[in-house]
Amino acid sequence: MSGETFVEYKDSFSYGSRPDLSFKFLKGLSEEEAATFLHDLITKVGEAIDDGDATRIIEHVTQGQIEAYSKPTQWAYDDGPFAKLAKPVRESRIGLLTSTGHFLEGKDPEPFGVKNMTQAEAVERITDFVKSTPELSEIPADVPADQLLVRHGGYDIRGVQADRNVALPIDRMTELAAEGVIGDFASPAYSFVGAAAQTPISRKLAPKWADMFKERQIEGAVLVPV
Amino acid sequence: MSVGHIARAFEENGIPTVIVATKAFRPRLEVMSLPRLVLTPYPMGRPLGAPNNAAGQRQTLLAALDLLETAESNGSIVEVDYPYR
């Protein structure tokens, strides 16, 4: 790495020689912004050494992500549709759909025909994923943790690996349904790899998935992007 | 953006939706004229809250379900500020 510039260094966390999807946003910061972010991060790590409180570090990383993602994309609409929930949530059948890239053991969607693709391979092929059409995976609400797999080259999956509920809250939804807060939690939930081509999702898949939700008599949906 | 497109299609087909996302996605989601959006102050990849913080995840979901039920128009956005842990 001799002669590596600071810009090359900060950019290397985004699909480069040091891939870390929680820090890929460094590429979206200017040289000065990234330098300030890293200096402040080191200061906060130094403070946490003595009191063990990582909150300041987590908040700093989150703030860095917010600053780096401050620009909207081309997908803008002047107005949008709105459907009102017909009944209270406690009487409604609620579905869940996430872009987390979860799937069941034995039901790998095998992107690009690749068997047993690893997370590292998915990260390496991110440019292929963003041009691809995703497949929807069914996730039964009671799936044991060891039968639920996740692979997604667009975000840091360490959080969902530690606890699926951080982005695929099937256990929390099940609990709320058991308590009567939700009328019924529609199992299975659904997951797909959200790093995908937008036009087929917008024109073809999303209307198709909406029809499927209607056929399953789902009356409201919780959607979680990552 | 994928989930934004799904929310729009679902609403067009009469299925009310609520999106739960980390605040970093706000600029991208806001311009998509989405029906209901709950924004959380958590690191990307953990929109509901920290791993094994069931109470926090539950609070986030309750905020989402409340918005699902009570929102009156497109563009209903709520920011929650429960601690990550």
Side-chain angles (χ1 to χ4, degrees):
Chain A
M1 287 292 165
S2 64
E4 185 180 29
T5 66
F6 178 68
V7 170
E8 287 164 348
Y9 172 77
K10 78 172 180 67
D11 290 356
S12 71
F13 294 92
S14 176
Y15 304 106
S17 58
R18 305 179 183 87
D20 186 318
L21 298 182
S22 272
F23 293 91
K24 67 175 180 178
F25 71 87
L26 285 167
K27 192 174 181 178
L29 298 181
S30 70
E31 190 171 355
E32 193 181 342
E33 288 165 343
T36 302
F37 172 83
L38 290 171
H39 183 201
D40 290 348
L41 181 65
I42 287 167
T43 303
K44 288 169 196 300
V45 170
E47 289 165 2
I49 285 171
D50 292 319
D51 66 14
D53 185 357
T55 304
R56 52 168 77 82
I57 298 170
I58 296 166
E59 287 178 355
H60 183 60
V61 171
T62 305
Q63 197 53 42
Q65 293 171 343
I66 289 170
E67 283 169 25
Y69 279 76
S70 58
K71 292 181 196 73
T73 66
Q74 70 194 85
W75 300 103
Y77 302 94
D78 291 334
D79 50 35
F82 182 82
K84 196 152 168 54
L85 195 66
K87 293 181 286 186
V89 166
R90 65 175 182 279
E91 296 170 20
S92 299
R93 181 167 155 82
I94 307 293
L96 174 68
L97 190 154
T98 76
S99 60
T100 49
H102 281 93
F103 57 95
L104 298 190
E105 191 173 28
K107 293 194 177 172
D108 189 329
E110 296 183 352
F112 320 114
V114 177
K115 291 191 188 303
N116 302 314
M117 182 185 281
T118 64
Q119 170 66 7
E121 287 167 333
V123 172
E124 280 169 19
R125 295 196 66 169
I126 188 64
T127 51
D128 294 328
F129 273 98
V130 298
K131 292 180 218 150
S132 71
T133 301
E135 188 174 314
L136 201 59
S137 294
E138 294 189 354
I139 314 292
D142 60 354
V143 62
D146 62 354
Q147 290 172 29
L148 182 64
L149 304 177
V150 61
R151 180 186 56 230
H152 190 310
Y155 77 103
D156 179 0
I157 62 169
R158 286 174 290 193
V160 287
Q161 285 180 315
D163 177 1
R164 58 206 192 179
N165 293 287
V166 306
L168 177 76
I170 51 179
D171 300 300
R172 299 293 87 78
M173 292 287 282
T174 300
E175 291 160 8
L176 291 172
E179 291 168 34
V181 175
I182 301 172
D184 183 27
F185 172 34
S187 176
Y190 297 94
S191 182
F192 71 103
V193 175
Q198 294 303 299
T199 305
I201 290 178
S202 169
R203 294 195 185 153
K204 203 179 81 185
L205 293 180
K208 188 173 123 189
W209 295 347
D211 283 342
M212 188 184 69
F213 268 54
K214 277 199 291 193
E215 279 164 27
R216 292 192 53 214
Q217 298 171 328
I218 295 172
E219 296 161 307
V222 175
L223 308 177
V224 186
V226 284
Chain B
M1 293 84 73
S2 298
V3 168
H5 284 126
I6 292 165
R8 292 177 58 88
F10 275 37
E11 300 277 337
E12 272 165 20
N13 283 279
I15 302 171
T17 64
V18 59
I19 293 176
V20 181
T22 54
K23 219 155 69 174
F25 281 136
R26 180 169 190 145
R28 293 172 178 212
L29 293 173
E30 215 168 19
V31 297
M32 293 188 78
S33 295
L34 298 170
R36 304 168 192 79
L37 189 52
V38 170
L39 295 163
T40 63
Y42 308 138
M44 297 178 82
R46 298 117 176 121
L48 274 291
N52 305 312
N53 179 5
Q57 297 161 4
R58 178 192 166 93
Q59 277 187 307
T60 304
L61 262 187
L62 287 173
L65 294 167
D66 182 63
L67 189 62
L68 184 63
E69 183 172 307
T70 59
E72 294 288 341
S73 62
N74 182 284
S76 298
I77 300 177
V78 168
E79 282 199 25
V80 299
D81 58 359
Y82 316 124
Y84 185 58
R85 285 197 187 280

